[in-house]
Amino acid sequence: MPELPEVETTRLGLAPQLEGRRITGVTLRRPDLRWPIPGEITALLPGQVILGVRRRAKYLLVDLAPGSALLHLGMSGNLRVLPGDTPAGRHDHVDIALDSGRVLRFNDPRRFGCLLWQPAGETHGLLRHLGPEPLSADFGGGHLFRCSRGRQTSVKAFLMDQETVVGVGNIYAAETLFRAGIDPGRPAGQVSRARYDRLAEAVKDILAQAILAGGTTLRDFIRPDGRPGYFERELFVYGREGEPCLACGRILSGNRLGNRATVWCGHCQK
Ligand SMILES: [Zn+2]
């Protein structure tokens, strides 16, 4: 599944090709992805100039004067800007044609992605209850400490809750908890302020590194230029159950926590 760094990498790749371009047409090859594609997409986009491409959590917002097209890549989606005459493949569900002669193409084999509409001046329901952006000044150890008091849920589930902070998926939760030395199963309410400071620092650091590296390599993920990311070789615990800890050499433990595969070092993480 594309995580926040992949989505930010996609945004960085798309923005220079989209910003300032006028939309000349929209082709929908099916009426829905995860949800029906609203009528505003075909009615309002043609003729509009793209004012900007933003990201909120794992959503991309293509800003136009009357509002924003809201996109999510779901489990397997990707967005590419291609020459306008590139033949559409089987899972190429949406084309947004540009006055540059190129086309923004949304491919999504599993159709867990979405294309929705957010009118200007409004916040879409999907974006209303999201926590702060992890790389913003609003996010830090103090925020994690305050939100976690009295919480019995595991610190890993707490960190992955989008109302706590957005964009920390399973890979980054595992990696940041390892970096901060925190046992992922520890109740969130029992982690000290000092340890949350370390955790927040790890979140910022690891996500920023992953964005610089172009996102984590995942089978389904393709960058806007068609090449895969290459962060996988830097993973310390994710996907490494039964292998030696890269810090202490002991065998990494694996378990399911909140129904998600979780790997940690019982010696380095307390
Ligand atoms: Zn270890």
Side-chain angles (χ1 to χ4, degrees):
M1 183 190 304
E3 298 223 34
L4 186 145
E6 286 83 356
V7 179
E8 180 63 12
T9 303
T10 297
R11 188 190 74 77
L12 290 167
L14 294 177
Q17 307 203 61
L18 299 186
E19 287 173 1
R21 289 296 169 190
R22 191 174 295 278
I23 294 173
T24 57
V26 175
T27 304
L28 304 182
R29 298 194 181 85
R30 51 177 302 123
D32 59 343
L33 294 165
R34 180 172 186 174
W35 297 299
I37 297 170
E40 287 92 337
I41 296 297
T42 45
L44 300 181
L45 267 59
Q48 292 293 329
V49 171
I50 296 173
L51 305 173
V53 182
R54 285 181 295 137
R55 181 187 57 73
R56 175 72 174 111
K58 296 203 289 182
Y59 293 92
L60 289 170
L61 293 114
V62 178
D63 293 332
L64 314 164
S68 306
L70 179 65
L71 293 126
H72 194 287
L73 300 175
M75 304 287 284
S76 56
N78 72 80
L79 286 163
R80 276 185 279 180
V81 177
L82 301 165
D85 57 0
T86 308
R90 179 148 168 252
H91 302 294
D92 291 334
H93 303 308
V94 180
D95 278 356
I96 296 175
L98 307 168
D99 64 358
S100 57
R102 294 171 78 83
V103 64
L104 172 64
R105 181 161 287 172
F106 191 177
N107 173 287
D108 188 3
R110 296 174 67 181
R111 297 203 311 274
F112 281 103
C114 67
L115 173 54
L116 298 169
W117 177 252
Q118 172 177 284
E122 295 182 22
T123 301
H124 196 281
L126 290 169
L127 306 185
R128 251 172 239 157
H129 302 289
L130 296 174
E133 286 288 327
L135 298 176
S136 74
D138 296 336
F139 173 70
H143 169 77
L144 289 175
F145 183 73
R146 278 191 304 278
C147 295
S148 61
R149 291 310 88 186
R151 300 279 298 270
Q152 291 303 310
T153 186
S154 72
V155 62
K156 184 181 179 221
F158 168 71
L159 184 62
M160 289 177 65
D161 181 343
Q162 300 299 293
E163 292 191 24
T164 302
V165 57
V166 300
V168 183
N170 204 29
I171 297 175
Y172 296 103
E175 294 299 308
T176 54
L177 286 162
F178 176 79
R179 172 87 69 93
I182 300 172
D183 181 333
R186 177 177 285 275
Q190 292 176 20
V191 176
S192 70
R193 170 63 200 267
R195 302 182 85 201
Y196 271 131
D197 283 344
R198 281 209 298 279
L199 182 59
E201 198 181 308
V203 166
K204 286 175 187 285
D205 203 48
I206 288 176
L207 287 175
Q209 258 185 46
I211 291 166
L212 275 179
T216 307
T217 300
L218 290 173
R219 189 183 55 239
D220 293 333
F221 177 68
I222 302 170
R223 284 198 296 192
D225 59 10
R227 287 183 299 140
Y230 52 88
F231 191 62
E232 189 170 32
R233 63 197 164 93
E234 295 172 29
L235 297 175
F236 281 82
V237 284
Y238 180 83
R240 298 194 62 245
E241 178 181 352
E243 293 178 36
C245 172
L246 296 176
C248 73
R250 290 173 175 81
I251 297 301
L252 295 174
S253 307
N255 207 336
R256 294 190 80 77
L257 200 60
N259 208 31
R260 300 300 300 269
T262 300
V263 182
W264 75 98
C265 176
H267 179 71
C268 295
Q269 295 175 258
K270 300 294 181 193

